[in-house]
Amino acid sequence: MIDEAFRLFPVAASTFAEKVDRLYLFLVGLSGFFAGSIIILVITFAVIYRRRPGRISEKTKSSLGLELTWTVIPLILTMVIFVWSADLFLDQSIPPEGAEQVYVVGKQWMWKTQHANGRREINELHVPVGRAVKLTVTSEDVIHSFYIPAFRVKQDAVPGQYRTMWFQATKPGEYHLFCAEYCGTDHSKMIGRIVVMEDTAYQTWLGGFTEETPVQAGEKLFTQFDCVNCHESGRRQRCPNLGGLYGTNVPLAGGGTALFDEAYIRESILDPKAKIAAGYGPIMPTFRGQVTEEQVLALIAYIKSLSPNVAAAGAQGGTHPQSSAPGKKD
Ligand code: CUA
C-alpha cells in the first residue's frame, strides 16, 4: 500500500532523493536567511533612522569596499547553486551503463510502460530495488510529464520525441506516479504506482509471463491495454461488447455493415475510426505502434474466443489478418 499519511516531504526512496532534498533545503535556508535579514534590517533602520525634529539626512558617500562585498558574496553564492544543481542535473540526465531499460508512453489519460522482455503495464511500473532503471519516455498525443515524487525525478513526455530519465530505487514498496503536466480533462486521473521489488521477486514477476496460449495472452492484453474498461458490459461500457460478434455482419455508424472478422478486428485496433460500430462514438484510441503483430494476433484470438459458436470453426482456418484487409490505411 502507498503511504498516504500527510508529510511535508515525500518519502525518499531513490539515490537522488537525498541529494535533491539537500540542495532544496540549502536553497530554502539561503532564501530564509536573506529574507529574514532584510525584514529585520528594514524594521531596525525604520526605527533608528525615523524622522525626528532637527535631524537632517546626510549626503551619502559611495563605498567601494561595501559595493564589492555585496557583489562578490552573492556571486559566490549563486555560483555554488549553479555548480551544485548543474552537477545534480547532469547526474540525472545521464543514465549509467547497464541500466534496466523500460519504455514509457503517455497518452490521454494513462501511462503505458513496457519492459525489455516485452512485459507491459498500464499505470504501473514494477522495478527492482538497488538497480539503475532507465526510462525512455514519449507521448502519443499531447505533452505529459512522468513524475515520481518519492524518487525526485520528473520528465516530460513529448509527442514525437524520446526523452530519457533514470533512477535507482533504494526501498522496496509502492510509490505514487503522477502526470505533472496539464494534459486535458482527466489529467488529475492520470496517476499510477511504482512498485519497487526485491531483485528475485522482480525477476519472477518479469519472467512469470510467457508460455501461454494466444487466447490467454490476448485476454491479458485486453486487460493490460484497458480494452476491458470500455468493452465490458456494465456501467462504464462505452464501446460494443465483443461477445458473439465474430463472423457476423455488424452495422456501422453512417450506414452499411462490416463483416466482423480478423481483418476487421485488426483494422479496429490500428485504425479504430475507419469503421465505427453503429451507436458508438469515435472514442477508441489507435493502438498503432503500441501493439506488435503478435499481440494483435493474440487479441484476435481472444476476441474470437468470445464467440464460442464460431471460434472452433475459425480456429481451423488460422488467422490471416493481412490477406483480407480492404481499406487498410498504413
Ligand atoms: Cu497527462 Cu497530465
Side-chain angles (χ1 to χ4, degrees):
M1 273 300 292
I2 300 176
D3 182 6
E4 302 285 357
F6 173 79
R7 47 177 76 241
L8 211 49
F9 268 74
V11 195
S14 83
T15 52
F16 291 136
E18 234 174 73
K19 298 178 192 175
V20 172
D21 289 354
R22 223 174 289 144
L23 175 62
Y24 176 76
L25 288 173
F26 175 76
L27 291 173
V28 171
L30 196 66
S31 308
F33 171 76
F34 280 104
S37 306
I38 289 167
I39 290 167
I40 289 167
L41 287 177
V42 164
I43 294 169
T44 311
F45 288 172
V47 172
I48 295 176
Y49 301 110
R50 69 184 183 280
R51 190 165 137 174
R52 270 183 275 186
R55 176 186 276 183
I56 308 156
S57 66
E58 288 171 35
K59 206 175 173 210
T60 50
K61 289 168 280 181
S62 67
S63 161
L64 184 64
L66 189 61
E67 287 192 27
L68 278 176
T69 308
W70 72 44
T71 305
V72 171
I73 290 176
L75 177 70
I76 292 170
L77 288 173
T78 45
M79 288 313 285
V80 166
I81 294 169
F82 168 67
V83 172
W84 188 350
S85 50
D87 181 58
L88 196 51
F89 179 78
L90 284 176
D91 192 12
Q92 291 206 349
S93 304
I94 305 164
E97 292 285 311
E100 192 96 347
Q101 170 71 60
V102 174
Y103 293 95
V104 175
V105 180
K107 67 173 233 184
Q108 290 166 320
W109 287 277
M110 63 171 88
W111 291 108
K112 297 191 276 183
T113 59
Q114 187 178 24
H115 295 261
N117 79 337
R119 176 139 199 190
R120 291 170 178 278
E121 304 183 71
I122 294 277
N123 292 335
E124 273 193 2
L125 178 61
H126 288 68
V127 294
V129 69
R131 290 227 312 272
V133 178
K134 172 190 167 189
L135 310 186
T136 303
V137 185
T138 189
S139 167
E140 246 177 80
D141 36 45
V142 300
I143 300 177
H144 304 275
S145 189
F146 195 82
Y147 178 35
I148 312 168
F151 294 174
R152 312 291 192 270
V153 291
K154 189 194 278 179
Q155 180 57 268
D156 277 2
V158 184
Q161 285 185 21
Y162 291 106
R163 298 281 182 91
T164 302
M165 71 194 283
W166 78 279
F167 56 78
Q168 183 172 325
T170 52
K171 267 186 232 165
E174 292 183 11
Y175 305 102
H176 286 293
L177 164 65
F178 293 120
C179 177
E181 187 70 56
Y182 181 66
C183 54
T185 312
D186 282 345
H187 158 72
S188 62
K189 293 181 193 155
M190 196 169 161
I191 54 177
R193 57 181 194 143
I194 308 291
V195 182
V196 178
M197 306 171 91
E198 296 289 355
D199 205 40
T200 45
Y202 173 71
Q203 293 302 337
T204 310
W205 176 88
L206 201 58
F209 156 74
T210 46
E211 295 188 88
E212 50 195 3
T213 67
V215 172
Q216 289 169 330
E219 185 172 12
K220 249 184 199 170
L221 291 168
F222 204 70
T223 305
Q224 276 180 26
F225 285 122
D226 270 359
C227 313
V228 67
N229 236 357
C230 303
H231 282 288
E232 203 175 48
S233 305
R235 213 160 40 82
R236 291 189 303 174
Q237 182 177 0
R238 289 179 289 175
C239 300
N241 185 301
L242 301 176
L245 287 185
Y246 192 81
T248 65
N249 282 300
V250 292
L252 298 179
T257 60
L259 178 63
F260 194 98
D261 59 2
E262 288 103 339
Y264 180 71
I265 298 171
R266 184 176 190 279
E267 182 184 55
S268 296
I269 293 169
L270 300 178
D271 191 4
K273 292 180 178 54
K275 297 195 187 89
I276 294 158
Y280 294 93
I283 58 160
M284 177 169 156
T286 175
F287 286 83
R288 183 182 296 283
Q290 307 308 308
V291 284
T292 63
E293 290 299 321
E294 291 89 324
Q295 287 172 324
V296 173
L297 286 176
L299 281 166
I300 290 171
Y302 170 65
I303 291 165
K304 265 169 106 170
S305 77
L306 299 176
S307 305
N309 48 328
V310 288
Q316 297 289 323
T319 50
H320 302 284
Q322 310 282 2
S323 60
S324 56
K328 200 182 98 202
K329 285 166 251 146
D330 270 312

